[in-house]
Amino acid sequence: MSQLNTFINHFKTKSLRQLVANFRNEYISDGINEDTLKENPIDQFEVWFNEAVSNKLNEPNVMSLSTIQANGSPSNRILLLKGFDENGFVFYTNYGSRKAKEIEGNDHAAMTFLWLELYKQVRIEGVLQKVSTIESDTYFNSRPRGSQIGAWVSPQSQPINSRAELEKKVEEIEQRFKGIAVQRPENWGGYCLVPTVIEFWQGRASRLHDRIEYRLGENRVWTKQRLAP
Ligand SMILES: Cc1cc2nc3c(=O)[nH]c(=O)nc-3n(C[C@H](O)[C@H](O)[C@H](O)COP(=O)(O)O)c2cc1C
C-alpha cells in the first residue's frame, strides 16, 4: 500500500490528533557526560557543529531565534547562523524587520539548533548586539549578487501589495548597480548573540535524555550542570 493510502486509511479510522500522537521514535545514542564535555561551551558547540557538517546534514546552520515583543510575548523564526567564535553566534538580517524592532526594544534572545539525525539540540540564551559595519560589509560582499540585490529589494516584514512589486524593484536595483559592485544597504547587517546560557541535549533511549547546561558566572567562568530530561 502506498504511503498516501496508509495515511488516508489512518485518517478515516482515527482522529488527526491520534495520528500525530502515534509518531514515536526511539533516540539511541551513547549520550554525553559533564566530565567529558569541553570546559568552554563554544568549544563544545564547535565539536557538535563539525559533527553535523561531517555527517552532511542538510543546512547544519539552521536555527530558530526567539525575540520578545513589546507586550512581553515571544516571537520566533528560522534563520541561518553565519559564524560563531568566542564572542557568540552571528546571523544577518534586515535592521528594519520585525525581529530588529523587537531587538531594539529588548535585546534578550534565545537560539535553538536541532540536528535531528544526530538526536542533538543546542539551546543558547543571551543578549544580541549588532556586529561592526566592517563585519557586515565583509559578509555582505561574500554573498551571491542575487542575494545582495534581494537585501535592497525587500522591506522585510512590511506589508506589500504584490510579488510583482518586488520583481519591479529588482529591475530598478539591477539598473542602479549595473556594472559595479552592490553595496551593503545600511539597513542590513549582522547580530551576534552573546551567550550566558548554553545547553547541550543528547537524545537517549526511553526519553532518558542527557542535558548538560553551561551558565556564565559573574566571574566570567562557565559552570556545567546536568539537568533532568
Ligand atoms: C531555512 C530558512 C533560513 C532563513 N534564514 C534567514 C536569515 O538568515 N536571515 C533572515 O533575515 N531571514 C531568514 N529566513 C526568513 C525568516 O524566517 C523570517 O521570515 C524573516 O527573517 C522575517 O522575520 P521577522 O518578521 O520576524 O523579522 C529564513 C527562513 C528559513 C525557512
Side-chain angles (χ1 to χ4, degrees), residues 129-176:
Q129 295 175 352
K130 278 187 182 169
V131 305
S132 69
T133 51
I134 294 173
E135 198 174 334
S136 288
D137 283 340
T138 305
Y139 174 65
F140 187 82
N141 294 339
S142 76
R143 300 182 88 206
R145 194 174 169 91
S147 308
Q148 293 175 333
I149 287 173
W152 279 95
V153 164
S154 170
Q156 195 177 53
S157 317
Q158 301 300 317
I160 51 171
N161 291 323
S162 65
R163 188 169 176 91
E165 192 177 300
L166 283 182
E167 283 160 4
K168 189 163 169 280
K169 194 119 177 264
V170 169
E171 283 169 26
E172 280 169 29
I173 301 294
E174 272 170 352
Q175 278 305 315
R176 176 166 166 189

Side-chain angles (χ1 to χ4, degrees), residues 213-229:
E213 184 189 77
Y214 294 69
R215 279 186 181 264
L216 188 64
E218 280 175 13
N219 53 2
R220 311 293 302 159
V221 174
W222 289 98
T223 51
K224 281 181 256 178
Q225 174 67 54
R226 180 176 283 270
L227 303 177

